[in-house]
Amino acid sequence: TPPQTLESRSVEAVGRMLKALEKKEEKGRVVVMTGAGISTSAGIPDFRSPTTGLYANLARLRLPYAEAVFDIAYFRSNPLPFYTLAQELYPGNYRPTITHSFVRLLHDKRILLKLFTQNIDCLEREAGVPDDKIVEAHGSFARQSCIECKTPYPQEGMREAIREKRVPRCVDAACNGLVKPEIVFFGEQLPREFFENRELPREADLCIVMGTSLSVQPFAGLPSLCREETPRVLINMEQVGGIGSRADDVLVLGDCDAGVRKLAEAAGWLEELEALWART
Ligand code: APR
C-alpha cells in the first residue's frame, strides 16, 4: 500500500470524527461554509477562476471593473449589465452536485448545525437541505423589490423581465424606482439572518469549508470564529482563507466532488451518498 500521505491520514481522522458525531448523543455539531466552487460541476461558472470564472467573461458588458455588475452604486446608474447577466444567473434547471448531497447527508444524519452559503443558485434547497439549516449569506433570487421604496415585486414579473432582458420598475408608478432581486450587492448589508447566526461556528465540533475563495467579508471571517480545538476542513481547488494555519486544520485540495467522496468513504457513507445523489 502506498505510504500514508498527510492528507490521507487526516481524511481518515475526519472520517472517524464524522462517524463519532453520528453516534454522539447531542446532534448537529458540523458547520458548513460554501461558495460558487461547489456548483461549477453543475454547469454554473464561479466568479474568480482564471478563465472560466464569471468575472473573466464580462468583457461584452464593457464594465469599469468586473465586480461593478454586482455593485449597488453602479446598478443605480446602469442596471442593464446586471439584467443582461441575470438570465444566465437565474436559478434554472441545474441539478445539485454530489457536494450538495453531502451537505444533505450531514442533515439526514442529524449532525448538520448550519450551512452558510454565498451561493444564489438555491441548489442546496434542491438537494433537500431544509430551510432552517441554510443561511443564504448573499441573499437569493427568491424575492425581489424596489431599491428605493422596498415595495415587493411579483416573481412572475421578474421572470418575464429577465427573459426579455428588460429592467423592471417599481409597481408604484409614483416611485418608479429600480427593481432588484434580493441578492446582496457590493455596498449592501447582508441579510439579518446572517448576523443572527454568525456566532454559530463557535459551537461547532467540526467546520467544513468548500468551493470558496474566502475573498469577500464578512462571510470570509466565519471559519476564524471556530474554536482552536475545532478541526477546519478545506475542500477546495486551492488553499484559501488562512485555513491550514491551525494544528487541526485539514486540507483536501482538488475538485470538491472528489473531496466529499473521500470524506464519505472515510466515514463509511460513500454508498449511501452515491444513492442519495442518484435520487436527487
Ligand atoms: N472544486 C473545488 N474547488 C473549486 C471548484 C471545484 N470544482 N471550482 C471552483 N473552485 C474553487 C475556486 O478555485 C475558488 O477558490 O472555488 C472558489 C470559488 O471562488 P469564487 O469564484 O471567488 O466564488 P465565491 O468564493 O463563492 O465568491 C464569493 O464573491 O462575487 C462575490 O457575492 C459573490 O458570493 C460571491 C462572493
Side-chain angles (χ1 to χ4, degrees):
T1 53
Q4 275 235 311
T5 62
L6 177 64
E7 181 200 283
S8 62
R9 228 190 350 265
S10 35
V11 164
E12 264 178 35
V14 176
R16 280 195 301 276
M17 201 173 172
L18 286 169
K19 266 193 284 216
L21 283 170
E22 190 183 6
K23 291 190 181 59
K24 246 174 143 177
E25 280 318 302
E26 85 272 17
K27 298 285 182 187
R29 311 293 294 169
V30 182
V31 283
V32 180
M33 294 142 192
T34 57
I38 71 164
S39 297
T40 50
S41 71
I44 304 173
D46 70 8
F47 295 94
R48 294 175 180 83
S49 279
T51 48
T52 52
L54 201 70
Y55 290 150
N57 292 286
L58 294 180
R60 69 189 186 292
L61 297 179
R62 285 194 296 285
L63 295 160
Y65 57 95
E67 292 180 345
V69 71
F70 294 117
D71 180 287
I72 190 67
Y74 183 81
F75 179 78
R76 278 189 198 290
S77 69
N78 180 6
L80 204 52
F82 169 75
Y83 274 101
T84 306
L85 185 68
Q87 211 170 48
E88 291 165 46
L89 283 175
Y90 207 68
N93 39 11
Y94 293 104
R95 181 190 176 206
T97 68
I98 194 164
T99 299
H100 292 98
S101 293
F102 179 75
V103 182
R104 157 68 187 278
L105 188 62
L106 293 174
H107 165 66
D108 288 353
K109 291 184 176 296
R110 301 185 20 228
I111 59 176
L112 177 66
L113 178 58
K114 193 67 86 172
L115 164 69
F116 293 88
T117 184
Q118 298 169 93
N119 298 342
I120 55 177
D121 55 34
C122 297
L123 287 185
E124 302 90 354
R125 292 175 186 285
E126 307 248 329
V129 183
D131 181 62
D132 67 321
K133 288 288 172 67
I134 303 177
V135 173
E136 289 162 329
H138 293 171
S140 85
F141 275 99
R143 284 174 306 285
Q144 47 285 322
S145 51
C146 170
I147 61 171
E148 304 306 342
C149 69
K150 306 291 178 235
T151 305
Y153 192 83
Q155 187 78 29
E156 212 15 69
M158 174 53 83
R159 244 189 269 278
E160 267 166 41
I162 286 185
R163 208 176 23 250
E164 295 156 15
K165 290 190 184 176
R166 202 168 24 80
V167 178
R169 291 262 173 189
C170 184
V171 290
D172 173 356
C175 166
N176 197 39
L178 286 170
V179 168
K180 180 177 87 49
E182 290 179 4
I183 57 180
V184 179
F185 273 36
F186 292 105
E188 283 190 308
Q189 270 296 331
L190 273 66
R192 193 169 27 82
E193 196 188 14
F194 174 82
F195 298 103
E196 283 166 357
N197 288 281
R198 75 175 306 177
E199 299 303 319
L200 276 180
R202 296 186 196 288
E203 299 169 32
D205 291 328
L206 178 65
C207 171
I208 302 178
V209 181
M210 303 192 276
T212 175
S213 61
L214 287 180
S215 55
V216 176
Q217 294 295 354
F219 189 96
L222 288 173
S224 58
L225 297 177
C226 294
R227 289 168 289 142
E228 274 301 316
E229 62 272 25
T230 301
R232 304 180 308 171
V233 184
L234 174 68
I235 304 181
N236 202 59
M237 267 319 164
E238 76 270 348
Q239 184 174 1
V240 294
I243 300 185
S245 60
R246 294 183 183 182
D248 290 343
D249 286 352
V250 173
L251 298 180
V252 183
L253 300 184
D255 178 80
C256 55
D257 293 343
V260 296
R261 284 190 166 97
K262 281 182 194 164
L263 282 196
E265 185 163 31
W269 301 342
L270 185 55
E271 253 180 69
E272 198 178 346
L273 174 63
E274 295 285 4
L276 175 61
W277 184 47
R279 294 196 301 272
T280 302

